[in-house]
Amino acid sequence: MECETISSYIYIDDFLDDDSFQILAKAAKEADIKPAVTFNSEIQSGKDIFSNEDSPKAIQDTVDILSHPKFVQQLSTLTGIDNIRPLTEFKSDFLPFKYFHQMSDGGHLGSHVDHSTVGVDNVHVLNCIFYITDKWDSDWGGDSLFFSKFGFKEKARVAYKPNRLVIFLHTSQSFHGVSKLRGNRYKRSTIYMDYNLDKNKLKNLKNQARNNGSKFTPKFWMHQTTFIPGSFKSFHRLKVYLKYLVKRVLRTY
């Protein structure tokens, strides 16, 4: 297992042993199931999300690894954020509770920041994205992109690589997305997991950043998943983004 840090982003290569990864990749490639949700718009396209009940057992087994107490403790040790809880500990029909995602040729995911909370008191503080397609050409795109705090300027990217786990701090300013896919022979398959912290413990997280001399101050406020509007004709998305900006000023935790 190899680990590299990029600012507030970390990726771990060879996350699973080879045999386990090949079983997972084969199950994802051969999955013949109907998506629970499909996205095709100017801000996200070619993307399918599958229900947990329909997902292959190998997907469920990997979700169990990413939510296992030992792995969660390792995440806490790695990030210094204690008392985090994986999404699996909460019950909801909310879209992020579906973990298996795929993206087809021509697909992309625009700059966005995820939901800020699960319920009212559990603040979304970490994301994991696991790359599970076993063969991938760098010319096919599909990189994870990370943007500036207002979501417009690309600041970093992590290339899609088989058996790579991407972990990143998720604050209310953590805009991210996926670069456009071009000519990929196989679908871009991923497993998603996020982790949450009781809002009363956010002060400890902020103090930790300050004590470590970090120039980055984690900021959180209540908001829904918010995309950078593809155009000013996208009135609904523009309204959501403007609402997000207002809350940025008025409602920080």
Side-chain angles (χ1 to χ4, degrees):
M1 181 183 295
E2 300 177 1
C3 177
E4 183 165 336
T5 303
I6 309 175
S7 184
S8 297
Y9 319 100
I10 295 170
Y11 61 80
I12 301 172
D13 285 340
D14 303 319
F15 178 69
L16 294 181
D17 66 84
D18 188 61
D19 288 344
S20 298
F21 179 70
Q22 291 303 322
I23 290 171
L24 172 64
K26 185 173 185 290
K29 185 183 297 183
E30 295 180 353
D32 185 17
I33 52 179
K34 184 178 179 180
V37 187
T38 296
F39 296 94
N40 280 301
S41 70
E42 63 178 346
I43 58 171
Q44 56 180 332
S45 64
K47 180 179 177 181
D48 294 326
I49 296 179
F50 302 89
S51 72
N52 303 328
E53 294 76 18
D54 291 339
S55 297
K57 182 179 182 298
I59 298 289
Q60 299 289 350
D61 291 345
T62 308
V63 168
D64 290 343
I65 292 172
L66 295 175
S67 58
H68 193 280
K70 287 186 178 179
F71 178 73
V72 174
Q73 181 55 53
Q74 289 177 329
L75 273 182
S76 291
T77 301
L78 182 66
T79 62
I81 307 175
D82 295 325
N83 303 304
I84 54 176
R85 300 173 62 193
L87 199 57
T88 51
E89 291 192 11
F90 305 90
K91 303 298 181 183
S92 176
D93 292 328
F94 189 36
L95 186 61
F97 287 77
K98 297 175 176 62
Y99 308 108
F100 179 32
H101 300 186
Q102 288 188 327
M103 191 173 286
S104 303
D105 183 22
H108 78 289
L109 180 61
S111 176
H112 68 287
V113 62
D114 292 339
H115 59 284
S116 61
T117 60
V118 176
V120 177
D121 297 326
N122 304 288
V123 181
H124 180 180
V125 294
L126 285 174
N127 276 19
C128 278
I129 303 173
F130 187 30
Y131 300 157
I132 60 174
T133 301
D134 62 343
K135 296 180 181 179
W136 198 261
D137 190 310
S138 60
D139 291 338
W140 295 346
D143 300 342
S144 292
L145 308 178
F146 301 100
F147 295 88
S148 59
K149 63 183 180 180
F150 287 103
F152 289 96
K153 183 178 180 180
E154 182 184 326
K155 302 291 286 186
R157 65 171 58 203
V158 176
Y160 190 99
K161 180 180 178 182
N163 206 5
R164 170 174 283 177
L165 179 70
V166 182
I167 305 165
F168 62 96
L169 179 66
H170 191 279
T171 74
S172 291
Q173 300 180 108
S174 297
F175 282 89
H176 57 285
V178 176
S179 65
K180 188 171 183 177
L181 275 64
R182 293 183 173 87
N184 50 303
R185 292 172 55 199
Y186 308 103
K187 291 185 177 180
R188 179 189 188 271
S189 296
T190 57
I191 295 176
Y192 168 90
M193 179 61 63
D194 71 40
Y195 304 84
N196 300 270
L197 181 69
D198 188 295
K199 69 177 182 181
N200 295 319
K201 295 182 171 62
L202 285 178
K203 184 176 180 180
N204 296 336
L205 178 58
K206 295 176 182 179
N207 288 339
Q208 172 192 325
R210 188 180 305 110
N211 294 336
N212 290 341
S214 174
K215 296 180 181 180
F216 176 78
T217 301
K219 295 182 179 180
F220 303 88
W221 59 90
M222 186 76 77
H223 55 80
Q224 66 192 87
T225 298
T226 302
F227 280 83
I228 297 299
S231 71
F232 289 106
K233 294 181 180 180
S234 305
F235 294 113
H236 171 70
R237 288 187 284 271
L238 180 59
K239 180 180 178 181
V240 171
Y241 184 66
L242 292 176
K243 185 177 179 181
Y244 161 88
L245 293 177
V246 170
K247 288 186 174 182
R248 182 181 191 274
V249 175
L250 300 178
R251 302 188 181 184
T252 55
Y253 283 116

